[in-house]
Amino acid sequence: MAEEAEFKCLRCGHEFIAPYDKENPQEHTCPKCRSNSVRRIKT
Amino acid sequence: MMDVGRHPRIKLLAYSEVEEVSGYVGNFRVKVRKKARYVDEEECTACGDCVDVCPVIMPDEYQMGLSSRRAIYIPFPQAVPSSYTINIEECLGVQPIACGKCAEKCDKGCIDFDMKDEIVELEVGTIIVAVGMEVYDPTLLDEYGYTRFENVITTLEFERLVDSGGPLGGRFARPTDGRVPKRIGFIQCVGSRTERRGNSYCSNICCMNTVKDSLLLRDHYPEIDITVFYLDMRAFGKGFEDLYKRSKDAGVRYVRGLPGEVKEDPETRNLLVTVENTTAGRLEEHELDMLVLSVGLEPREDSKTVQQLLSLSRTSDGFFLESHPKLKPVDTPTRGVFLAGCAEGPKDIKESVTQASAAAARAQIILNQDKIPIEAITPMIDLDLCNFCGRCARVCPYGAIVDVDPKRKVSPRVIEAACAGCGTCSAECPVGAITQRHFGDEQFFAQLEAMLGEGPEEKIVVFACHWCSYPGGDMAGVSRLQYPPSARVIRTMCSGRTGERLILRAFALGAPMVLVSGCHFADCHYINANRWTQRRVERLWDRLERAGIRPERLQLEWISAAEGQKFARVMGELEEMRKKVTPEEIEYTKQVLAEKA
């Protein structure tokens, strides 16, 4: 099962959880505003 | 196939697997594992004496498991070379020989249990990928009862049952009782055009295959009642509509609607199909003797291996991506590698032949040239600046940068014939030693200085890739979509070229907002160069934040050439963000970046 990570949209500020694979980067889209400016929140 | 096998200039390596591909257009080196057949294919006359004595009985894959074969077999009757093969996994044992009856029986002594796999190395100028496809496995679609009811079969199984070379010798019969069915149904779009289970795309061939099958049945068994359950029939090729009409005129019944449920009568083994006929607007129940699932096509399971071997791209549905859907439909992003047939997407025989001919012609063009023209967008490496770190070689999607060795301090070398000019190496070089011809840093800096010379606080700098985002902006324009006039677009060949130096220079010159945009991941024209863009932007967000600059001011967006609306929407959203960037913030950014410069 793919690992998940927390992301923050740098356009609307929405925070969400999405699959994350460091080796194979995925195209991430904010589920709220559809922006691709999505930043992984590093814990 | 026979012609191919006999052609003096075609070397056919059947039962073989490509293990390694290196080099570049005009100079590919291919390592192929020729698997051991344990039968001398030159000597074998396919007399079949060995088969008669082989005691191992296995399901015949070619006949879809509807009949059996032996452990020594010919995969299918027309196979080239026409020579037997021993499946060593199924054979009773060769180390030591446990049975050996085939070897005893073969008068010519063709069987050699000591045969080993052979590695063949080839030097070729071009490569055509024609790996084909697989058929959707309907076991997941339990509502059609494929795993539960014997009289539910797939189109491929149907083909074997009606084939004169099939397990029944061409006498069509249903599996449970061996009698000719009276009523037969076809269900279309099994595993195609569905998001729930299967694939979202149309498999292209299934409608006409069913029309053909229905006419074939009508011709051979006019008494069979045929019903086709469909979503919509797609008869778009030359003569296809006529064939469809012929099928309807021949009495084949077409019911618009896919069955919701299939049950079996335990006594008769007949199938009860419940379907909503959306043309008549009523729920119907059909009793059928046999049901054929018109299964769709899928990319091969090992497509990823081929993708890695040849540095190709694949679309989100897994088929290989062509270089350009209209202008280079058989080329791939790797120069000298071409696509033919269903490797690129589901297609019928005519389309496959057309594409194969085109691919062969494209390959010939290269092979007939002494020199290959390349675009003047390849990188130049300043070896005085290079620190031999090797990052350029690591990020190059084409493996076009070679020789670099950080330990031995060996300089990188660019194979210009292999380079496609994405510019990722130039963007990623930590010491700025790589300049992409016509897309050098200085040229971008000049553009930035020109556009931000006056009133930079009112501008949004957009780096847009040549193939998708820039045409996306064009699309917004030609579609007369309104978007704020603050956008200032700089074209790069790939978003991978948009390096940190360019972005930071834009901020240093007073840009309140910067947008980096490129193709969607599945559409990247440089295999995977835009993955490096994403990594770089993520890195920059961290760096900006550490410097006290809001990372939100750097935005990232994947915009395709067709997404003019998206381009306009994004620019509108960025304009709202731009208005919130204060003059103090811009000044602070300039100051911080000036200190770091």
Side-chain angles (χ1 to χ4, degrees):
Chain A
M1 200 173 150
E3 207 179 309
E4 290 191 326
E6 212 175 332
F7 292 88
K8 184 184 179 186
C9 173
L10 291 186
R11 197 160 308 160
C12 70
H14 180 60
E15 290 185 13
F16 59 96
I17 292 169
Y20 173 72
D21 184 345
K22 195 181 174 188
E23 299 305 315
N24 299 301
Q26 304 292 309
E27 187 177 316
H28 290 296
T29 303
C30 170
K32 196 175 166 193
C33 74
R34 295 177 288 160
S35 158
N36 300 127
S37 296
V38 167
R39 187 183 183 197
R40 187 166 65 90
I41 301 171
K42 290 167 189 164
T43 49
Chain B
M1 280 297 281
M2 292 291 281
D3 287 346
V4 170
R6 287 178 187 147
H7 198 286
R9 298 195 64 192
I10 298 176
K11 190 173 185 179
L12 186 66
L13 296 175
Y15 201 43
S16 303
E17 213 166 293
V18 175
E19 290 201 331
E20 199 181 306
V21 180
S22 57
Y24 50 92
V25 57
N27 291 294
F28 287 114
R29 284 180 299 281
V30 184
K31 197 187 273 184
V32 182
R33 178 176 293 273
K34 198 167 184 291
K35 294 179 186 170
R37 285 177 180 273
Y38 303 96
V39 176
D40 186 336
E41 66 182 61
E42 300 293 326
E43 293 296 319
C44 176
T45 56
C47 65
D49 288 350
C50 50
V51 177
D52 297 337
V53 294
C54 179
V56 180
I57 297 175
M58 300 302 292
D60 187 341
E61 297 87 353
Y62 176 65
Q63 302 288 7
M64 304 302 295
L66 297 167
S67 65
S68 60
R69 61 164 177 79
R70 303 300 167 122
I72 184 163
Y73 67 110
I74 292 182
F76 56 98
Q78 298 82 16
V80 177
S82 183
S83 158
Y84 279 86
T85 302
I86 296 175
N87 185 327
I88 214 68
E89 305 292 322
E90 294 165 1
C91 184
L92 292 180
V94 294
Q95 297 290 350
I97 296 168
C99 163
K101 286 182 180 169
C102 51
E104 285 168 23
K105 188 74 182 174
C106 183
D107 292 336
K108 290 192 78 184
C110 301
I111 292 164
D112 175 8
F113 288 122
D114 295 325
M115 197 179 269
K116 296 271 183 293
D117 289 359
E118 190 187 338
I119 300 294
V120 180
E121 294 205 21
L122 303 168
E123 286 188 0
V124 296
T126 55
I127 294 171
I128 296 175
V129 179
V131 294
M133 78 307 170
E134 280 175 8
V135 175
Y136 177 74
D137 175 6
T139 49
L140 289 170
L141 285 167
D142 204 41
E143 63 262 40
Y144 295 147
Y146 179 72
T147 54
R148 289 172 287 141
F149 311 134
E150 268 185 78
N151 289 327
V152 179
I153 60 171
T154 66
T155 31
L156 268 192
E157 288 164 345
F158 173 85
E159 293 286 344
R160 297 321 309 147
L161 287 178
V162 294
D163 193 285
S164 56
L168 301 179
R171 190 194 155 273
F172 182 53
R174 70 175 197 163
T176 49
D177 51 19
R179 64 178 176 81
V180 177
K182 288 183 185 135
R183 295 153 300 185
I184 185 163
F186 287 83
I187 301 180
Q188 295 306 108
C189 298
V190 176
S192 303
R193 303 175 65 197
T194 168
E195 297 288 347
R196 199 165 51 96
R197 282 181 207 157
N199 303 301
S200 56
Y201 53 85
C202 168
S203 288
N204 225 340
I205 58 149
C206 327
C207 286
M208 291 321 295
N209 188 53
T210 294
V211 170
K212 184 263 292 176
D213 285 344
S214 72
L215 282 168
L216 190 139
L217 271 182
R218 261 281 166 273
D219 196 34
H220 288 72
Y221 304 92
E223 69 282 5
I224 297 181
D225 184 44
I226 307 167
T227 309
V228 177
F229 304 101
Y230 70 100
L231 277 174
D232 54 68
M233 293 301 287
R234 297 189 168 182
F236 53 85
K238 188 179 177 183
F240 288 2
E241 189 66 24
D242 286 343
L243 207 68
Y244 177 39
K245 277 182 188 159
R246 261 178 61 197
S247 168
K248 285 203 280 193
D249 292 344
V252 176
R253 190 154 35 130
Y254 285 85
V255 175
R256 199 178 76 184
L258 294 183
E261 191 181 36
V262 176
K263 287 183 199 162
E264 189 190 57
D265 182 330
E267 278 182 28
T268 61
R269 310 294 295 271
N270 285 348
L271 301 154
L272 303 168
V273 176
T274 309
V275 60
E276 185 193 353
N277 184 333
T278 56
T279 311
R282 62 170 181 255
L283 200 65
E284 293 178 358
E285 192 160 271
H286 296 255
E287 186 172 351
L288 303 164
D289 298 334
M290 218 173 154
L291 197 55
V292 182
L293 306 183
S294 194
V295 286
L297 305 182
E298 288 187 322
R300 282 178 61 96
E301 211 177 311
D302 54 6
S303 292
K304 195 168 182 184
T305 312
V306 180
Q307 178 188 12
Q308 286 166 347
L309 278 172
L310 294 166
S311 299
L312 302 180
S313 297
R314 288 193 299 156
T315 53
S316 53
D317 49 35
F319 290 101
F320 291 108
L321 181 70
E322 65 278 24
S323 197
H324 190 284
K326 291 172 192 160
L327 304 175
K328 288 185 174 179
V330 298
D331 293 46
T332 67
T334 303
R335 194 176 292 142
V337 179
F338 303 94
L339 300 170
C342 290
E344 185 258 338
K347 55 179 64 69
D348 63 12
I349 296 168
K350 182 186 163 182
E351 267 189 279
S352 297
V353 171
T354 308
Q355 203 182 29
S357 306
R362 294 285 294 165
Q364 273 294 334
I365 291 171
I366 292 177
L367 295 175
N368 287 331
Q369 286 173 323
D370 292 331
K371 290 178 180 174
I372 297 168
I374 52 168
E375 278 192 81
I377 52 173
T378 51
M380 297 180 293
I381 301 174
D382 185 338
L383 297 179
D384 291 335
L385 289 177
C386 177
N387 64 0
F388 320 104
C389 68
R391 183 153 183 79
C392 50
R394 284 199 299 279
V395 302
C396 178
Y398 301 90
I401 300 181
V402 294
D403 293 348
V404 61
D405 187 338
K407 284 181 190 161
R408 292 189 294 128
K409 300 214 178 300
V410 178
S411 317
R413 180 171 63 89
V414 179
I415 300 170
E416 299 203 8
C419 171
C422 64
T424 306
C425 53
S426 176
E428 286 287 322
C429 178
V431 292
I434 303 179
T435 303
Q436 186 184 7
R437 288 181 175 89
H438 293 107
F439 290 91
D441 280 2
E442 294 305 324
Q443 286 158 300
F444 287 118
F445 291 164
Q447 289 183 66
L448 286 168
E449 279 159 21
M451 64 176 57
L452 298 171
E454 283 179 28
E457 67 284 353
E458 291 168 5
K459 314 276 172 60
I460 298 170
V461 175
V462 180
F463 292 98
C465 82
H466 171 80
W467 299 100
C468 283
S469 298
Y470 196 85
D474 258 356
M475 177 61 84
V478 296
S479 306
R480 303 281 189 270
L481 297 170
Q482 297 290 314
Y483 64 87
S486 50
R488 293 291 182 277
V489 186
I490 294 178
R491 183 176 69 97
T492 58
M493 285 312 290
C494 173
S495 63
R497 172 64 189 90
T498 314
E500 290 186 10
R501 287 185 294 275
L502 307 187
I503 296 167
L504 295 178
R505 178 61 72 98
F507 281 127
L509 290 169
M513 295 292 299
V514 174
L515 171 68
V516 177
S517 61
C519 308
H520 286 282
F521 272 27
D523 303 334
C524 182
H525 286 66
Y526 298 98
I527 302 172
N528 60 2
N530 60 2
R531 275 67 162 175
W532 292 105
T533 314
Q534 179 159 297
R535 288 190 181 108
R536 192 182 309 130
V537 168
E538 284 170 357
R539 220 163 50 218
L540 258 178
W541 280 331
D542 295 344
R543 204 172 146 190
L544 291 173
E545 194 169 56
R546 281 197 301 273
I549 301 166
R550 278 194 300 128
E552 288 84 351
R553 289 174 58 196
L554 171 60
Q555 292 279 310
L556 178 68
E557 205 67 50
W558 310 119
I559 301 172
S560 82
E563 290 179 319
Q565 283 191 333
K566 182 174 182 181
F567 186 89
R569 173 177 63 78
V570 168
M571 292 320 303
E573 289 169 1
L574 261 61
E575 173 63 6
E576 291 307 310
M577 294 176 83
R578 182 196 68 79
K579 288 175 185 166
K580 290 175 187 157
V581 181
T582 62
E584 293 76 28
E585 227 180 324
I586 294 172
E587 204 49 48
Y588 171 77
T589 307
K590 287 164 79 172
Q591 205 180 328
V592 167
L593 294 177
E595 281 168 17
K596 286 186 181 290

